[in-house]
């Protein structure tokens, strides 16, 4: 059974999220009753990971709409309400683009229905809910495809054909806990494990928030995938000595030229992979690609509280008086990325224009 970060009961329209700040010590679900709750659980990182942030944010809007079902009198006021709430949710965490792309898509759809007399208010409400609920299924499907594509690509590119010999290094958490299920980079690892091609995974602890030690390690143990946890400063040693086949990581925002914003530390791993001649893959759904930003310089990097560095489990570990800098993400230049694995195909960083065309065509249909 896969871990469930997002529990959504479609009949009751009830949303609960697994509180990831308490993992791996406690499995505690929190009910999200409205948009304010949605914003808070994202901000506090009780739910995290770019795809999960977007899904929980949008589903929090669904539960709020349902609770105020009779409270919207006209299409225009409903549209304004939708637009304000979605863009409010975007502000919770600025680096991951998935919530922003969802907000743009849903606002555009709401505007279209608002301006077109064919649609009444009831249709508009039901359609918004349907579109958002579909995000859950779509994300799991996309992840399974990414997993299958990634597994095939790694075997093809590296020429590793003997079963049970692939060794992957990954960073942060990109699994069931960061998505609606299965995962992106961790989905590639799951896929290799299921087909018995995987020998071993090395996952970094991912300081300071420890998504690797607390969450990825938890998922790997849960799925009985052979894995070893390493500290972030052991990556060079692992690449030098452990015969790593490929590095696979996720993404929070991939820009038009392929530069990729992801968890802090990703950039240094990419540099080390290049030095050791190990292919470096980004696995992400197309909803993590921001074609409106030409390159990584313009990605807004979230900075988080100093306490995440100075303390561990509420206990101070850093000397009193020291200053800290705590960016949650960094940008890996496209030149260090072997390929980007998406649910619509595998692309070299300079080929992402194709994704823009696929997206535009899908909107026409
Ligand atoms: O700060 P987090 O835990 O939300 O950061 C998560 C990451 O950086 C992931 O690699 C990324 O969101 C992709 S999750 C499929």
């Amino acid at each position: 059974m896969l871990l469930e970060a997002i529990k959504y009961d479609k009949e009751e329209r009830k949303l609960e999220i697994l509180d990831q700040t308490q993992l791996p010590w406690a499995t505690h679900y929190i009910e999200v009753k409205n948009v304010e709750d949605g914003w808070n659980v994202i901000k506090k990182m009780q739910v995290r990971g770019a795809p999960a942030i977007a899904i929980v944010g949008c589903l929090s809007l669904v539960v709020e709409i349902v609770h105020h079902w009779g409270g919207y009198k006209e299409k225009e006021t409903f549209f304004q309400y939708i637009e304000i709430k979605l863009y409010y949710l975007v502000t919770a965490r600025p680096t991951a683009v998935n919530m922003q792309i969802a907000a743009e898509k849903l606002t555009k759809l709401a505007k279209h229905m608002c301006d077109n007399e064919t649609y009444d208010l009831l249709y508009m409400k039901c359609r918004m809910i349907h579109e958002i609920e579909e995000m859950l299924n779509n994300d799991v499907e996309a992840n399974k495809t990414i997993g299958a594509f990634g597994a095939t690509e790694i075997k093809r590119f590296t020429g590793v054909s003997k079963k049970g010999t692939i060794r992957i290094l990954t960073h942060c958490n990109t699994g069931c806990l960061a998505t609606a299920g299965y995962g992106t980079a961790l989905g590639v690892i799951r896929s290799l494990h299921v087909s018995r091609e995987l020998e071993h995974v090395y996952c970094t602890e991912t300081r300071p928030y420890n998504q690797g030690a607390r969450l990825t390690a938890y998922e790997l143990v849960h799925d009985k995938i052979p894995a070893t946890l390493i500290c972030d400063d052991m990556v060079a040693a692992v690449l030098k000595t452990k015969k790593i086949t490929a590095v696979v990581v996720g993404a929070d925002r991939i820009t038009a030229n392929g530069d990729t914003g992801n968890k802090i530390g990703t950039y240094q791993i990419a540099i080390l992979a290049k030095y050791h001649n190990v292919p470096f893959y980004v696995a992400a759904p197309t909803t993590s690609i921001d074609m409106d930003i030409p390159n990584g310089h313009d990605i807004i990097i979230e900075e988080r509280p100093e306490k995440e560095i100075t303390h561990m489990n509420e206990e101070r570990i850093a000397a009193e008086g020291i200053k800290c800098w705590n960016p949650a993400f960094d940008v890996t230049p496209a030149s260090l990325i072997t390929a980007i694995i998406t649910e619509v195909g595998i692309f070299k960083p300079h080929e992402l224009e194709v994704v823009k065309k696929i997206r535009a065509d899908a909107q026409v249909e």
Side-chain angles (χ1 to χ4, degrees), residues 162-182:
K162 207 164 150 248
K163 285 246 172 196
T165 52
I166 291 178
R167 292 164 164 236
I168 302 290
L169 170 70
T170 192
H171 185 54
C172 195
N173 174 264
T174 59
C176 294
L177 297 168
T179 62
Y182 204 71

Side-chain angles (χ1 to χ4, degrees), residues 45 48-51 53 93 171-175 178-179 184 211 250-252 262-263 328-329:
M45 289 177 72
R48 28 67 50 206
I53 288 171
R93 292 196 71 198
H171 185 54
C172 195
N173 174 264
T174 59
T179 62
T184 57
Q211 288 93 331
D252 283 86
N262 191 47
K263 181 50 53 194
F329 303 95

